[in-house]
Amino acid sequence: MSGTFLGTPAFPAAARAALEDSQLRRNLAHATSTIRTKRGNVVGEVDDWEQLRLAGEAIKNRVLRHLPDYLEQLERSLTAAGATVHWARDAAEANAVVVDIARRHGTDEVVKVKSMATQEIDLNSALEAAGIHAWETDLAELIVQLGDDLPSHILVPAIHRNRAEIREIFLREMGRAGRAAPADLTDEPARLAAAAREHLREKFLRAKVAVSGANFAVAETGTLTVVESEGNGRMCLTLPEVLVSVVGIEKVLPTFQDLDVMLQLLPRSSTGERMNPYTSTWTGVTPGDGPQEVHVVLLDNGRTDVLADPTGRQALRCIRCSACLNVCPVYERTGGHAYGSVYPGPIGAILTPQLRGVGTDPQTDSLPYASSLCGACFEVCPVRIDIPEVLVHLRAEVVDAHRKASRVPSVQDVAMKAASWTLSSAARTGAAERVAGIGGKLAGRLGRTAPGGRSILGAVPGPASAWSDSRDVPVPAAESFREWWTRTDGGRSRSDNTDGGRSRSDNTDGGRRNGDGA
C-alpha cells in the first residue's frame, strides 16, 4: 500500500465527494447487504447469542481492568516459548523494530498477513523508506496495494472495487511487481483468485521474513492467533525463517477458554461464517517446524490514553469484526475513505479520535459527528461496544477542546450560554416562551405545511443556515405548555379554540360535576 490518508478533508467534505460516486455507492450497497444477510443467518442459528455477547464483553472488560498484569504474563509466556518480545510506545518505535530485524537478516522484502496494527503505524511506508519491499498477500490488500489505493473497510479493504476494476488493476500492475497476470484474464472470481495465487506464490517461497498481526494473544500460554479465509496467512506464518508479529496491547486474552468465546463471536460477526476457513495458532518457536526466529512487538500507540477514559475505553474491546460498518447507513453511502483513517465506519469514528486526540485536527474532530446515532452498530457488536454513547462523549470533548483553545466564543457557545441563562429561571423561560409564541404566529404565515400538518420554516439565513439546510425548522408553538396548562386547568377542561381558548371552554367530564349527567 503506497497511498496515505494524510490530507483527507474533514468528513463532511469527504463524504460529499463520495456521495457523488454512484459506482462506489452501488459497490458498497451490494457488498454490505450481502455480508449483513450472511451474518444474520449464522447468528440466528445460535440460541444463546446474547449470552455469548455478554461473555465476550465480560472477558474484554476483565482484560482492560487488569491489562498490565496480563501483558506481563503474556511476555513471560512468549519468552519461555522462545519468542523475543519488544515493547513499542508508538508507531515510530514499532516500525524501527521491524526494519531493524529485516536489515539484520539482509533481506530487501517481506511478506505480510493482513494486519490492522501494521496499517495503523504505516509500516509499509517505513519499510519502503528503508529500501525493503512489503508485499501484501491478502487478496483484498493486494488489490489495494497494486491499485495504489487506500483500504476502505476493516475486513474487506477493496470493498469499493468491483470485479471489472480488479481485472484492470491486475492486468496493468501485476507485471510491475512480479509475475504478470495472464493476458486473457477475465473478471470471473476464480480467474482473478488464480492470478493472485500465481503472483504471490513466488513471493511466499522467496521471502525470509514475514510480518503479521494477531487477532488474539493468550497470556497463559503465549499463543498468538490469526484467523483468515484465504490461506495466505498460513503461508506467511509457516514458510519464512523469521516471523515478526505486531500486536496491539488490547489483543491479549487471559486463557484459551476465553479464546473459545472469541472464536465463536468473530467469524459470525465478520464474514458471516460459523468458523473461519483458516485459524492459525503459534506459540513461540517450535524446533524444525515453522519460523525459527519469532518476534512479537506489543504496540501501545495511544491505547493507554484510551484506557484512561472511563467512557471511551470500551472501544478497546473491539475485535475488528467490522459488523458495525456493514449496518451503518452512513458508511454504506460514503465508504471508508471519507473517514481518513485505516479504521473507518462507526468503530473508526470513536477509535481514531481517541488514538490521535481531539482539538488539533479538523479531520479528526469531524469523525464523532459522522453518525446518525441510530444505534444499529451497538445491536450487532459482538462485544457490546456502545458506540453511540462514546460518539456523544467525544462530541462533548471536541466542543470542550475548541472552547478552551479559542479566546472568541463560537456562535454555538453563545447560543448555548444564552439557552442556559434563559432556562435556569422560570420567569425568563416564561418570557421567552411568550416571545416565541408571538414569533410563531408571525412565522406561521410565512412557513409551509409539512406532511402530517405540522408548520415548518424553510431555510434560515445566518449562522443557523448550515443547520436548516438539511433539517425542517418547526414553527414555534403559538401557545406554550405553561399557557395551555393554565388555560385548561392541567387538561381537566378542554378548549377547541386555537386562539388560546379564552373565548369558550368545554368541560371534559361530561358535566357530571353539575349533576346533569343522569
PDB file of all heavy atoms in Angstrom, residues 308-328:
ATOM      1  N   ALA A 308      -7.445   5.182  29.761  1.00  0.00           N
ATOM      2  CA  ALA A 308      -7.633   6.111  30.879  1.00  0.00           C
ATOM      3  C   ALA A 308      -8.993   6.789  30.849  1.00  0.00           C
ATOM      4  O   ALA A 308      -9.383   7.428  31.830  1.00  0.00           O
ATOM      5  CB  ALA A 308      -6.527   7.171  30.853  1.00  0.00           C
ATOM      6  N   ASP A 309      -9.720   6.674  29.761  1.00  0.00           N
ATOM      7  CA  ASP A 309     -11.033   7.317  29.644  1.00  0.00           C
ATOM      8  C   ASP A 309     -12.115   6.313  30.026  1.00  0.00           C
ATOM      9  O   ASP A 309     -12.332   5.334  29.302  1.00  0.00           O
ATOM     10  CB  ASP A 309     -11.233   7.786  28.195  1.00  0.00           C
ATOM     11  CG  ASP A 309     -12.513   8.602  28.032  1.00  0.00           C
ATOM     12  OD1 ASP A 309     -13.490   8.328  28.762  1.00  0.00           O
ATOM     13  OD2 ASP A 309     -12.537   9.500  27.182  1.00  0.00           O
ATOM     14  N   PRO A 310     -12.821   6.522  31.134  1.00  0.00           N
ATOM     15  CA  PRO A 310     -13.811   5.527  31.580  1.00  0.00           C
ATOM     16  C   PRO A 310     -14.911   5.240  30.554  1.00  0.00           C
ATOM     17  O   PRO A 310     -15.415   4.122  30.489  1.00  0.00           O
ATOM     18  CB  PRO A 310     -14.392   6.164  32.854  1.00  0.00           C
ATOM     19  CG  PRO A 310     -13.346   7.121  33.316  1.00  0.00           C
ATOM     20  CD  PRO A 310     -12.689   7.641  32.076  1.00  0.00           C
ATOM     21  N   THR A 311     -15.280   6.259  29.770  1.00  0.00           N
ATOM     22  CA  THR A 311     -16.328   6.041  28.757  1.00  0.00           C
ATOM     23  C   THR A 311     -15.725   5.508  27.461  1.00  0.00           C
ATOM     24  O   THR A 311     -16.262   4.577  26.857  1.00  0.00           O
ATOM     25  CB  THR A 311     -17.074   7.360  28.475  1.00  0.00           C
ATOM     26  OG1 THR A 311     -17.640   7.851  29.691  1.00  0.00           O
ATOM     27  CG2 THR A 311     -18.179   7.141  27.448  1.00  0.00           C
ATOM     28  N   GLY A 312     -14.627   6.074  27.039  1.00  0.00           N
ATOM     29  CA  GLY A 312     -14.058   5.716  25.740  1.00  0.00           C
ATOM     30  C   GLY A 312     -13.323   4.399  25.716  1.00  0.00           C
ATOM     31  O   GLY A 312     -13.147   3.807  24.644  1.00  0.00           O
ATOM     32  N   ARG A 313     -12.921   3.881  26.881  1.00  0.00           N
ATOM     33  CA  ARG A 313     -12.094   2.664  26.884  1.00  0.00           C
ATOM     34  C   ARG A 313     -12.807   1.446  26.311  1.00  0.00           C
ATOM     35  O   ARG A 313     -12.157   0.492  25.916  1.00  0.00           O
ATOM     36  CB  ARG A 313     -11.621   2.365  28.298  1.00  0.00           C
ATOM     37  CG  ARG A 313     -12.696   1.853  29.232  1.00  0.00           C
ATOM     38  CD  ARG A 313     -12.151   1.470  30.581  1.00  0.00           C
ATOM     39  NE  ARG A 313     -11.420   2.537  31.231  1.00  0.00           N
ATOM     40  CZ  ARG A 313     -11.365   2.701  32.544  1.00  0.00           C
ATOM     41  NH1 ARG A 313     -12.002   1.858  33.342  1.00  0.00           N
ATOM     42  NH2 ARG A 313     -10.679   3.700  33.074  1.00  0.00           N
ATOM     43  N   GLN A 314     -14.130   1.475  26.270  1.00  0.00           N
ATOM     44  CA  GLN A 314     -14.837   0.314  25.723  1.00  0.00           C
ATOM     45  C   GLN A 314     -14.487   0.081  24.255  1.00  0.00           C
ATOM     46  O   GLN A 314     -14.689  -1.018  23.738  1.00  0.00           O
ATOM     47  CB  GLN A 314     -16.336   0.447  25.911  1.00  0.00           C
ATOM     48  CG  GLN A 314     -16.970   1.684  25.301  1.00  0.00           C
ATOM     49  CD  GLN A 314     -18.447   1.788  25.659  1.00  0.00           C
ATOM     50  OE1 GLN A 314     -19.228   0.882  25.378  1.00  0.00           O
ATOM     51  NE2 GLN A 314     -18.838   2.907  26.257  1.00  0.00           N
ATOM     52  N   ALA A 315     -13.960   1.120  23.579  1.00  0.00           N
ATOM     53  CA  ALA A 315     -13.523   0.927  22.187  1.00  0.00           C
ATOM     54  C   ALA A 315     -12.408  -0.106  22.091  1.00  0.00           C
ATOM     55  O   ALA A 315     -12.222  -0.736  21.047  1.00  0.00           O
ATOM     56  CB  ALA A 315     -13.064   2.254  21.593  1.00  0.00           C
ATOM     57  N   LEU A 316     -11.649  -0.291  23.173  1.00  0.00           N
ATOM     58  CA  LEU A 316     -10.561  -1.278  23.172  1.00  0.00           C
ATOM     59  C   LEU A 316     -11.089  -2.703  23.242  1.00  0.00           C
ATOM     60  O   LEU A 316     -10.309  -3.645  23.122  1.00  0.00           O
ATOM     61  CB  LEU A 316      -9.603  -1.005  24.339  1.00  0.00           C
ATOM     62  CG  LEU A 316      -8.843   0.325  24.292  1.00  0.00           C
ATOM     63  CD1 LEU A 316      -7.972   0.478  25.529  1.00  0.00           C
ATOM     64  CD2 LEU A 316      -7.991   0.413  23.032  1.00  0.00           C
ATOM     65  N   ARG A 317     -12.393  -2.865  23.426  1.00  0.00           N
ATOM     66  CA  ARG A 317     -12.961  -4.222  23.366  1.00  0.00           C
ATOM     67  C   ARG A 317     -13.065  -4.726  21.932  1.00  0.00           C
ATOM     68  O   ARG A 317     -13.298  -5.912  21.704  1.00  0.00           O
ATOM     69  CB  ARG A 317     -14.359  -4.236  24.004  1.00  0.00           C
ATOM     70  CG  ARG A 317     -14.398  -3.952  25.484  1.00  0.00           C
ATOM     71  CD  ARG A 317     -15.632  -4.557  26.146  1.00  0.00           C
ATOM     72  NE  ARG A 317     -16.892  -4.085  25.634  1.00  0.00           N
ATOM     73  CZ  ARG A 317     -17.648  -3.147  26.222  1.00  0.00           C
ATOM     74  NH1 ARG A 317     -17.236  -2.594  27.352  1.00  0.00           N
ATOM     75  NH2 ARG A 317     -18.796  -2.779  25.704  1.00  0.00           N
ATOM     76  N   CYS A 318     -12.905  -3.827  20.965  1.00  0.00           N
ATOM     77  CA  CYS A 318     -13.133  -4.173  19.554  1.00  0.00           C
ATOM     78  C   CYS A 318     -12.264  -5.343  19.111  1.00  0.00           C
ATOM     79  O   CYS A 318     -11.065  -5.393  19.393  1.00  0.00           O
ATOM     80  CB  CYS A 318     -12.835  -2.955  18.676  1.00  0.00           C
ATOM     81  SG  CYS A 318     -13.058  -3.267  16.912  1.00  0.00           S
ATOM     82  N   ILE A 319     -12.886  -6.296  18.402  1.00  0.00           N
ATOM     83  CA  ILE A 319     -12.152  -7.448  17.859  1.00  0.00           C
ATOM     84  C   ILE A 319     -12.049  -7.345  16.338  1.00  0.00           C
ATOM     85  O   ILE A 319     -11.774  -8.346  15.669  1.00  0.00           O
ATOM     86  CB  ILE A 319     -12.794  -8.778  18.289  1.00  0.00           C
ATOM     87  CG1 ILE A 319     -14.262  -8.864  17.858  1.00  0.00           C
ATOM     88  CG2 ILE A 319     -12.659  -8.976  19.793  1.00  0.00           C
ATOM     89  CD1 ILE A 319     -14.909 -10.215  18.141  1.00  0.00           C
ATOM     90  N   ARG A 320     -12.293  -6.151  15.797  1.00  0.00           N
ATOM     91  CA  ARG A 320     -12.088  -5.862  14.370  1.00  0.00           C
ATOM     92  C   ARG A 320     -12.936  -6.776  13.469  1.00  0.00           C
ATOM     93  O   ARG A 320     -12.453  -7.228  12.432  1.00  0.00           O
ATOM     94  CB  ARG A 320     -10.605  -5.997  13.988  1.00  0.00           C
ATOM     95  CG  ARG A 320      -9.645  -5.236  14.882  1.00  0.00           C
ATOM     96  CD  ARG A 320      -9.729  -3.746  14.699  1.00  0.00           C
ATOM     97  NE  ARG A 320      -8.627  -3.092  15.384  1.00  0.00           N
ATOM     98  CZ  ARG A 320      -8.697  -2.584  16.623  1.00  0.00           C
ATOM     99  NH1 ARG A 320      -9.847  -2.656  17.297  1.00  0.00           N
ATOM    100  NH2 ARG A 320      -7.647  -1.991  17.172  1.00  0.00           N
ATOM    101  N   CYS A 321     -14.168  -6.991  13.848  1.00  0.00           N
ATOM    102  CA  CYS A 321     -15.038  -7.837  13.019  1.00  0.00           C
ATOM    103  C   CYS A 321     -15.672  -7.045  11.895  1.00  0.00           C
ATOM    104  O   CYS A 321     -16.101  -7.612  10.900  1.00  0.00           O
ATOM    105  CB  CYS A 321     -16.115  -8.488  13.885  1.00  0.00           C
ATOM    106  SG  CYS A 321     -17.356  -7.318  14.507  1.00  0.00           S
ATOM    107  N   SER A 322     -15.834  -5.721  12.088  1.00  0.00           N
ATOM    108  CA  SER A 322     -16.426  -4.796  11.121  1.00  0.00           C
ATOM    109  C   SER A 322     -17.932  -4.954  10.968  1.00  0.00           C
ATOM    110  O   SER A 322     -18.506  -4.434  10.013  1.00  0.00           O
ATOM    111  CB  SER A 322     -15.750  -4.890   9.744  1.00  0.00           C
ATOM    112  OG  SER A 322     -16.049  -6.092   9.090  1.00  0.00           O
ATOM    113  N   ALA A 323     -18.589  -5.641  11.876  1.00  0.00           N
ATOM    114  CA  ALA A 323     -20.052  -5.756  11.796  1.00  0.00           C
ATOM    115  C   ALA A 323     -20.714  -4.380  11.865  1.00  0.00           C
ATOM    116  O   ALA A 323     -21.744  -4.149  11.221  1.00  0.00           O
ATOM    117  CB  ALA A 323     -20.561  -6.643  12.934  1.00  0.00           C
ATOM    118  N   CYS A 324     -20.124  -3.458  12.625  1.00  0.00           N
ATOM    119  CA  CYS A 324     -20.726  -2.126  12.749  1.00  0.00           C
ATOM    120  C   CYS A 324     -20.686  -1.370  11.425  1.00  0.00           C
ATOM    121  O   CYS A 324     -21.585  -0.572  11.135  1.00  0.00           O
ATOM    122  CB  CYS A 324     -20.039  -1.338  13.852  1.00  0.00           C
ATOM    123  SG  CYS A 324     -18.257  -1.076  13.617  1.00  0.00           S
ATOM    124  N   LEU A 325     -19.654  -1.625  10.613  1.00  0.00           N
ATOM    125  CA  LEU A 325     -19.577  -0.957   9.317  1.00  0.00           C
ATOM    126  C   LEU A 325     -20.717  -1.425   8.409  1.00  0.00           C
ATOM    127  O   LEU A 325     -21.325  -0.628   7.686  1.00  0.00           O
ATOM    128  CB  LEU A 325     -18.248  -1.256   8.621  1.00  0.00           C
ATOM    129  CG  LEU A 325     -17.014  -0.450   9.012  1.00  0.00           C
ATOM    130  CD1 LEU A 325     -16.557  -0.773  10.430  1.00  0.00           C
ATOM    131  CD2 LEU A 325     -15.879  -0.694   8.030  1.00  0.00           C
ATOM    132  N   ASN A 326     -20.983  -2.717   8.447  1.00  0.00           N
ATOM    133  CA  ASN A 326     -21.919  -3.303   7.487  1.00  0.00           C
ATOM    134  C   ASN A 326     -23.373  -2.925   7.747  1.00  0.00           C
ATOM    135  O   ASN A 326     -24.224  -3.159   6.889  1.00  0.00           O
ATOM    136  CB  ASN A 326     -21.761  -4.829   7.486  1.00  0.00           C
ATOM    137  CG  ASN A 326     -20.355  -5.249   7.124  1.00  0.00           C
ATOM    138  OD1 ASN A 326     -19.688  -4.612   6.320  1.00  0.00           O
ATOM    139  ND2 ASN A 326     -19.885  -6.340   7.724  1.00  0.00           N
ATOM    140  N   VAL A 327     -23.671  -2.401   8.947  1.00  0.00           N
ATOM    141  CA  VAL A 327     -25.047  -1.988   9.238  1.00  0.00           C
ATOM    142  C   VAL A 327     -25.193  -0.474   9.306  1.00  0.00           C
ATOM    143  O   VAL A 327     -26.302   0.020   9.500  1.00  0.00           O
ATOM    144  CB  VAL A 327     -25.536  -2.595  10.576  1.00  0.00           C
ATOM    145  CG1 VAL A 327     -25.531  -4.111  10.510  1.00  0.00           C
ATOM    146  CG2 VAL A 327     -24.702  -2.103  11.753  1.00  0.00           C
ATOM    147  N   CYS A 328     -24.102   0.236   9.146  1.00  0.00           N
ATOM    148  CA  CYS A 328     -24.135   1.692   9.332  1.00  0.00           C
ATOM    149  C   CYS A 328     -24.669   2.380   8.068  1.00  0.00           C
ATOM    150  O   CYS A 328     -24.091   2.242   6.994  1.00  0.00           O
ATOM    151  CB  CYS A 328     -22.734   2.216   9.653  1.00  0.00           C
ATOM    152  SG  CYS A 328     -22.679   4.017   9.826  1.00  0.00           S
TER     153      CYS A 328
END
